[in-house]
Amino acid sequence: MSFVSAGDIVKLGKVAFQVWEFGFSKCRNAEKQYADFGSDIHYLARNLEKLSKVIQDVTRQIPQTLSLEDHSWDLRSLLKICGDFRKTISECQRLLDNRSKFGRGRGGFVYNIQWNLTVEPEVRRLKERVAFHNIKIATVLKPLETKLMLDLKDDIYRVHSDLASRLSDVHETVLETLRKIEGHWTTNAQEASVQARTSPPEILRVPDYLETRFELAAKASNPELLDEKNFPFYKGVNAFHHHFEQSTAFFKPDETSTGDFFAERTPEPAQYLNLTKSVWIIQKIKKGNEWTEASSDRLSECYMNELEGKCRYEFSRFTTKEEPRKRLTEPDKRNISLLREEEFRIWLDDDNGEDEFWSATDYLNEILRVSLLSSSRHRKQELVLIRQSDSKLQMQNFSSKITGAPNREIVRDHINLERAYYVSLYASPKSSPEALNVVFRGDESAGEDTALSFLKLKDLLDFQQAITGYKVVFDEPDIKTLLFQASGLFGGKKTAEVGRIQIWNPRRLERRIPQVQSRGVEYSRHQRSPTMGSSIALSVAKTFSTAHTSPVENEDMTSYKFELPSLPILVLYLKSEGNDEDEMSFLSIHLDKKTETEATCGCDRRRQTCIHSLVSRSGNLLARRITAKTGRPVNLAKLGKYRAPQEPEYERKLKWLHIDFTSQGLREQFEREFGQTKDIYDKKLLCYHGEMSQERQNRIG
């Protein structure tokens, strides 16, 4: 990596500001992520301005006894420490110069953002790089100033060395000159010199039980680190910033709270773990050969001192005696030990500068992106589903820090919809309405259960649609039911239960990217997606109703087969009324042409105020009951398109289902959705038979 000069930094700061001014200052209708990207670039321009100001201020104070023309600063290690911000700024500028992606007004200002599948991923990648540059530049300001002052001190002593060795008054003159060279973070060059000669106190030793875990995690991904002399410096610095920004550095207890004093001053175990991990990284860096070589560079040495100072300050918050009410409490050792293995990892997956979180294929086939409830208030979680084939998905679970340095962790799980395991905890009658929780496993026979907590019911139901192949068009969590099963000629059994009811309309969750119109042509029609077949296959599919065609994927193409439309389903999540010990079961009723809601339910109240609805069918209801076995919760995925049997065994002699809603309005909404869902199915069926007939005629003709 080539080095950058002081003049380069000034110019780059101006370029970064121009990028912000022309790309973001007057943008309209931009996505929040794009606007945040602009803020980060503006912040980068300001940081580069501060960086250049540090250099200019020290340069301005060079004594007349030194030749200003012959003086140049050694900044070779600056880009290695901060990352190549020249390259990042250039890529940002190139993105904005691509006029096909943006609307522009007079003077070239971007005024309207067309957020399509080529812009969003690139913005996300560059935004994270820019934010990481900002963190490191903000950290290097004081070390850079100290380095420049020490370099200037050496030059001054070099010029006066012959006289200073003989005349004490000349030596005092030199000291006075150093005191006049003032800085922003250091009082003057003489103080910087004194601080440089003072050995800083050792930072806290990492506990043995954590040091062992860190070493195992580091060597697992980098086996060459079996010899600690191979521990890298610059890569280690990147890892330090990643983990330190997730440590206690952003933990601020509420000093005015009257709650549990110790609990409110105890950081989360993961935050304390990241602090100790940061210390461990610094200690390992200093044992490596790369640091032995880099430590001869004054800026690198000053930068490491700054990182150590940050760690010392954070640990001092746990031991301060001056302000006891502000003293933090260490989390319990057992809670730290129980953290997931991935919390102990050392190295960043994207140290090579590539974006590990995005690929064009993933983006083109993304069907869901929703936020999840995070286990940490300092982090946010996001769930993404990628369609790989009709029955194969990939689930990507992102975890990222809310503030500070950009960092994201990702867990990928493969989903086989024909073997998926999905437990709808949210539908249990005992569950709180605010608890939108499910348990999921991509393959019922492999892997571990994943607990997912959604923030919105709509997001949860969209996820459920992706797993089952059915869209929930009606959902009511508070009902009472009475199910009648005939026996003999006139007798029968009535089962009273409570629970939740949903109407499922067969509809696969499709890709979420919009059909972006560009020059009168649909963009996505000209993009080949490896998992969705060729554009020719897509255009063929458009000639038929997607309600009754499904993709059949071969090695090099995707064809489509006709399928009889799936029946909509009435799904009930039920428990025995008054018995909390019973396990929840599912009752599914296929809504064919013969299944109806009765005009009267037999109650003695006027229909306009009735809260009852009666679902019946001439003959028996097409109903299946699925109950828990051996204490394992019921797998809702077995009701979906991918796991339901081709020829289900229906319950015998189930004649009708009586449903009590909590209000007349809910009953009316249910019956309205019930009727509309059946109408949609009837139209699909009519279309299916019509196109099948047309296809036969075409082939015969």
Side-chain angles (χ1 to χ4, degrees), residues 203-431:
I203 52 179
L204 184 71
R205 183 178 179 275
V206 177
D208 291 339
Y209 78 99
L210 290 180
E211 185 162 17
T212 302
R213 297 285 294 273
F214 294 151
E215 287 181 354
L216 290 173
K219 293 172 183 178
S221 56
N222 288 63
E224 65 273 14
L225 296 182
L226 291 173
D227 184 351
E228 63 182 13
K229 291 183 179 180
N230 293 328
F231 203 95
F233 169 49
Y234 295 109
K235 183 176 179 179
V237 166
N238 287 345
F240 171 90
H241 282 292
H242 176 89
H243 299 301
F244 187 79
E245 293 295 319
Q246 300 177 72
S247 73
T248 57
F250 289 90
F251 178 74
K252 292 181 175 58
D254 184 0
E255 299 176 18
T256 62
S257 174
T258 57
D260 188 329
F261 178 84
F262 291 103
E264 291 177 358
R265 280 156 180 75
T266 304
E268 294 179 10
Q271 290 179 310
Y272 188 80
L273 177 71
N274 282 318
L275 178 59
T276 55
K277 193 188 301 181
S278 302
V279 172
W280 182 86
I281 289 172
I282 287 179
Q283 293 172 342
K284 289 298 179 182
I285 284 175
K286 290 195 165 184
K287 295 180 181 179
N289 289 334
E290 195 172 308
W291 168 247
T292 301
E293 181 179 347
S295 60
S296 60
D297 174 72
R298 182 167 275 164
L299 179 58
S300 298
E301 184 181 21
C302 293
Y303 194 78
M304 279 290 287
N305 290 339
E306 181 71 11
L307 300 188
E308 288 187 70
K310 285 176 174 287
C311 291
R312 272 193 297 273
Y313 171 76
E314 281 305 310
F315 276 114
S316 72
R317 297 175 68 194
F318 293 89
T319 57
T320 180
K321 297 180 180 179
E322 288 77 10
E323 299 179 278
R325 290 193 60 82
K326 292 185 178 181
R327 187 188 308 149
L328 302 184
T329 304
E330 295 181 13
D332 189 271
K333 175 181 175 180
R334 291 171 297 178
N335 293 334
I336 297 175
S337 299
L338 291 173
L339 289 170
R340 296 176 301 171
E341 198 64 36
E342 62 198 56
E343 298 282 359
F344 289 83
R345 73 172 187 160
I346 302 298
W347 304 116
L348 312 186
D349 294 331
D350 56 346
D351 275 337
N352 58 3
E354 298 296 326
D355 183 14
E356 64 156 333
F357 301 109
W358 176 83
S359 73
T361 299
D362 286 355
Y363 190 70
L364 284 168
N365 295 293
E366 183 179 304
I367 61 173
L368 183 67
R369 180 181 291 270
V370 298
S371 296
L372 298 178
L373 181 66
S374 176
S375 58
S376 167
R377 64 180 181 272
H378 300 288
R379 299 186 68 81
K380 60 181 179 180
Q381 273 189 278
E382 192 175 44
L383 181 141
V384 176
L385 290 182
I386 308 297
R387 185 172 298 285
Q388 298 180 323
S389 70
D390 185 51
S391 61
K392 299 286 195 305
L393 305 177
Q394 184 186 86
M395 181 169 71
Q396 301 178 353
N397 200 329
F398 293 94
S399 175
S400 58
K401 199 169 183 298
I402 295 175
T403 59
N407 57 80
R408 294 201 292 171
E409 298 172 358
I410 181 173
V411 177
R412 290 183 172 91
D413 291 308
H414 293 283
I415 300 174
N416 183 346
L417 295 176
E418 296 173 352
R419 301 176 62 87
Y421 178 70
Y422 176 81
V423 179
S424 51
L425 300 178
Y426 76 96
S428 171
K430 295 190 298 183
S431 177

Side-chain angles (χ1 to χ4, degrees), residues 106-120:
R106 293 181 179 179
F109 289 97
V110 173
Y111 66 89
N112 183 34
I113 307 304
Q114 186 182 39
W115 196 254
N116 59 36
L117 60 157
T118 60
V119 177
E120 195 269 351

Side-chain angles (χ1 to χ4, degrees), residues 9-266:
I9 296 174
V10 175
K11 294 175 183 177
L12 286 169
K14 292 179 179 178
V15 172
F17 183 78
Q18 289 173 354
V19 169
W20 170 80
E21 185 179 29
F22 283 87
F24 302 90
S25 64
K26 297 184 180 180
C27 64
R28 299 291 183 270
N29 304 323
E31 290 276 343
K32 182 179 184 299
Q33 188 179 21
Y34 184 86
D36 291 344
F37 180 35
S39 298
D40 286 337
I41 291 181
H42 194 208
Y43 189 34
L44 177 60
R46 291 171 57 195
N47 275 332
L48 290 173
E49 185 180 5
K50 292 178 182 177
L51 203 60
S52 62
K53 183 172 175 51
V54 167
I55 299 172
Q56 290 170 348
D57 284 354
V58 177
T59 303
R60 180 174 46 82
Q61 299 180 78
I62 294 177
Q64 294 180 353
T65 53
L66 297 180
S67 173
L68 188 61
E69 291 76 12
D70 296 336
H71 195 91
S72 62
W73 303 113
D74 182 2
L75 302 176
R76 287 174 293 181
S77 59
L78 185 61
L79 280 186
K80 290 183 178 180
I81 292 173
C82 298
D84 194 348
F85 45 80
R86 296 179 308 181
K87 179 181 176 182
T88 302
I89 293 171
S90 177
E91 290 186 21
C92 293
Q93 193 172 29
R94 188 161 54 248
L95 172 69
L96 295 174
D97 285 343
N98 189 341
R99 293 175 176 266
S100 66
K101 299 175 184 176
F102 306 95
R104 292 180 181 268
R106 293 181 179 179
F109 289 97
V110 173
Y111 66 89
N112 183 34
I113 307 304
Q114 186 182 39
W115 196 254
N116 59 36
L117 60 157
T118 60
V119 177
E120 195 269 351
E122 192 171 359
V123 167
R124 181 168 59 191
R125 177 178 61 84
L126 288 174
K127 179 180 183 300
E128 293 185 354
R129 278 172 50 187
V130 169
F132 207 41
H133 289 316
N134 282 328
I135 291 294
K136 292 196 279 188
I137 292 174
T139 306
V140 84
L141 291 175
K142 180 181 177 181
L144 177 61
E145 182 181 78
T146 302
K147 173 255 193 309
L148 297 179
M149 286 187 169
L150 293 177
D151 285 354
L152 189 54
K153 180 211 71 169
D154 290 346
D155 289 343
I156 293 172
Y157 268 107
R158 176 176 51 80
V159 170
H160 294 280
S161 58
D162 55 337
L163 293 176
S165 60
R166 289 173 285 157
L167 302 173
S168 59
D169 57 335
V170 173
H171 178 69
E172 187 59 36
T173 300
V174 171
L175 293 179
E176 184 62 27
T177 301
L178 295 178
R179 294 188 190 102
K180 290 180 179 180
I181 302 174
E182 299 177 343
H184 295 280
W185 290 271
T186 306
T187 304
N188 52 54
Q190 176 58 19
E191 182 184 319
S193 178
V194 173
Q195 290 179 356
R197 293 195 303 268
T198 304
S199 298
E202 289 292 325
I203 52 179
L204 184 71
R205 183 178 179 275
V206 177
D208 291 339
Y209 78 99
L210 290 180
E211 185 162 17
T212 302
R213 297 285 294 273
F214 294 151
E215 287 181 354
L216 290 173
K219 293 172 183 178
S221 56
N222 288 63
E224 65 273 14
L225 296 182
L226 291 173
D227 184 351
E228 63 182 13
K229 291 183 179 180
N230 293 328
F231 203 95
F233 169 49
Y234 295 109
K235 183 176 179 179
V237 166
N238 287 345
F240 171 90
H241 282 292
H242 176 89
H243 299 301
F244 187 79
E245 293 295 319
Q246 300 177 72
S247 73
T248 57
F250 289 90
F251 178 74
K252 292 181 175 58
D254 184 0
E255 299 176 18
T256 62
S257 174
T258 57
D260 188 329
F261 178 84
F262 291 103
E264 291 177 358
R265 280 156 180 75
T266 304

